[in-house]
Amino acid sequence: MIERHYVNLPGGQLHYRRAGEGPPVVVLHSSPMSSAAMVPWIERLAADFTVYALDTPGYGQSDPLPYGGPDPEIPDYARRVVEFADALGLDRFVLGGTHTGSKIALATAVAAPERVAQLVMDGLGLYTVEEMAEQLERYTPPTVPVWHGGHLVEAWHRMRNMWTFWPWYRQEGERRLDESMPSLADLHLMTMDMLRAGLDWGVAYRAAFRYDARAALGGLRVPALLIAKHADPLHEHLDRLRVEAPTMTVHSVGNEEHLDRLMAAFDRDLGLPDAPPSPVVEHAGGTTRRYVTTEHGVSHVRIDGDPAAPPLLLVHGSPGSADSFDALVRDLAADHLVIAPDTLGNGYSTPSRAEDPRIGDFADATGAVLEALGLAGVQAYGSHTGACISLELAVRRPDLVSSVVADGLPVLAEEERADLLENYFISMAPERHGEHLLRAWHTIRDVMLFWPWYRQDAAHVRPTGPGETEHLHRLVLEFLKSGPTYQDSYRAAFLFESQARLAAAEVPVLVCAAPDDMLRQGSEEASAGEPVTFVELDPAAGRGAAWAVRRA
């Protein structure tokens, strides 16, 4: 089983995947991917090793480098690999990488030869001055969000082109690659990795283009192997080596045998000790992310603020994750210890293990996270779906929740509920030309314009606009994180009986909503009688969600 972990390093966290038992192997992905791209390596190597697949800083779920400035170099990334090994107690390890990962691995082996027992590289770029200049200029154009979402399709087709031409922007017959197009699921995963890397997704790419691998090979002192398959655009670079590297062997291999030969290259007989257990992530302030495993699934949890401050559970709405409320979390973390899980099936949390989950299942999972973290008597804030979960948790577990702020509770008539359940959800299945990305973009945009979003007539107009394009881009990425399981928490919220559960509450409940919230009227009508009160939010006047939490 592949586990996912974070580790605290100087200046930020690094995310990694771990599997297997035995001596340690660290593997590094290509740009602009994440450790998810290394799953085929992990699955094969885990039979003989403890495998650590790192998200390069600034990619996947790892924080950017805290040093190196806006344009770090490959040795800066190599320094992070050593810091990772130090934090996990890996004195010596086998190191492997592909493309950008090969250069980071090479720089690590040159800088810390006493730590690297063996180096395995899959493709190593050795560019001419002219190639480097052209690629620095053209290979990594920034993502520029546009109001119609076309930048998402542009990213999708750029990734397709990376499997079709070398370099991707030279769309000429003689530049075709002898590669099959990845599956739609893999292409979606890689495009999401590119988009999650930020608007300037090419930081590590450009570092790789600038890195002088030939000079580095001259200083290589550890046993090493360089391999490239015929279809790899870096295969032709094997003929460019022209360097004395006596500890390195070089292999050109066919496409079909590539993975087998690559996996066989990792030395099983180095006599390295077995890897130690991964350390538990401790929160000491700032922002900490970790995973919490319970009987309900694996929850990805964000923790912010002073560990000694009063604890506050924050539960996001659907679709999205805890990061959907980044500004709110940072505000509340000034005087609270904020615990913000991604609800199951959203963000980076696994789907619920319940076959057809209801709000009670999400509440139980959230309660189990609090118990695992040793927290009780917390104040809870939730928005929309999160309001349902927070309220239900308070009803079920008043020992865990001392009070609730429910921001926008769905109160639905049966006809409205049936209409939403039938029409609200869209297909998130990847499509060949990226149509699913546009569908996601315009669904989120239409949510800002109509309620419900699919009733696009004058009677259903909302008095709101889609906001700034970059903000909408972030919301859409949060939506896309969840994939098809985003429907589970939404459906549970539509089926939730808010009024009955408000009546069952024994702890104080403050219900609130902004005037332009589509759930505002129902929220107020449902909030009659102790221990429930209602207040109207007015963010423009400083009475937003954080104000409601501090008022409660």
Side-chain angles (χ1 to χ4, degrees), residues 181-350:
M181 193 61 64
S183 69
L184 291 178
D186 285 345
L187 194 58
H188 175 78
L189 180 65
M190 291 184 285
T191 303
M192 285 298 298
D193 277 343
M194 181 193 295
L195 291 169
R196 278 199 297 260
L199 303 183
D200 185 9
W201 53 271
V203 175
Y205 248 136
R206 295 193 296 275
F209 292 147
R210 292 190 298 266
Y211 184 64
D212 189 347
R214 187 178 290 107
L217 287 171
L220 184 64
R221 298 292 181 267
V222 306
L225 180 140
L226 170 60
I227 191 169
K229 65 178 181 179
H230 296 160
D232 189 332
L234 298 183
H235 182 270
E236 65 181 59
H237 291 208
L238 296 181
D239 295 330
R240 302 181 180 186
L241 284 170
R242 298 189 302 277
V243 64
E244 289 295 325
T247 63
M248 183 176 73
T249 58
V250 180
H251 296 283
S252 165
V253 302
N255 298 338
E256 297 301 321
E257 62 177 329
H258 170 246
L259 188 59
D260 287 342
R261 292 283 298 275
L262 189 59
M263 296 300 99
F266 287 82
D267 194 338
R268 274 79 173 164
D269 298 314
L270 293 171
L272 298 177
D274 288 354
S278 287
V280 175
V281 172
E282 300 291 345
H283 176 69
T287 298
T288 302
R289 293 177 172 86
R290 59 170 294 185
Y291 293 94
V292 175
T293 301
T294 72
E295 62 181 315
H296 306 279
V298 181
S299 294
H300 181 266
V301 183
R302 172 176 174 168
I303 306 173
D304 287 72
D306 184 346
L312 169 68
L313 170 69
L314 187 150
V315 189
H316 63 85
S318 298
S321 73
D323 288 340
S324 303
F325 287 125
D326 181 68
L328 178 61
V329 171
R330 293 182 186 279
D331 185 341
L332 291 169
D335 48 13
H336 293 81
L337 174 65
V338 180
I339 311 299
D342 294 348
T343 59
L344 294 178
N346 292 291
Y348 296 118
S349 293
T350 62

Side-chain angles (χ1 to χ4, degrees), residues 155-165 181-182 184 187 191 432-434:
W156 175 268
H157 286 284
R158 184 183 301 122
M159 186 57 66
R160 278 176 53 102
N161 263 21
M162 288 181 181
W163 290 85
T164 311
F165 301 97
M181 193 61 64
L184 291 178
L187 194 58
T191 303
R432 189 176 306 280
H433 297 114

Side-chain angles (χ1 to χ4, degrees), residues 391-392 394-398 496-507 509 530-532:
L391 173 59
E392 182 64 20
V395 172
R396 293 182 176 218
R397 297 294 304 274
F496 186 62
E497 297 290 352
S498 299
Q499 290 174 292
R501 302 314 279 166
L502 280 171
E506 298 178 358
V507 303
V509 179
E530 294 292 336
V532 182

Side-chain angles (χ1 to χ4, degrees), residues 127-176:
Y127 302 106
T128 66
V129 172
E130 295 75 19
E131 287 171 339
M132 180 178 68
E134 179 184 297
Q135 287 165 198
L136 287 172
E137 179 183 0
R138 301 186 63 186
Y139 203 91
T140 60
T143 299
V144 181
V146 291
W147 71 269
H148 49 76
H151 63 289
L152 298 178
V153 179
E154 180 182 17
W156 175 268
H157 286 284
R158 184 183 301 122
M159 186 57 66
R160 278 176 53 102
N161 263 21
M162 288 181 181
W163 290 85
T164 311
F165 301 97
W166 175 256
W168 67 265
Y169 51 82
R170 297 285 296 274
Q171 300 180 47
E172 305 152 14
E174 60 269 23
R175 296 285 181 166
R176 285 298 304 270

Side-chain angles (χ1 to χ4, degrees), residues 107-121:
T108 305
V110 170
E114 73 284 0
R115 308 295 294 276
V116 179
Q118 183 199 17
L119 172 66
V120 177
M121 294 175 286

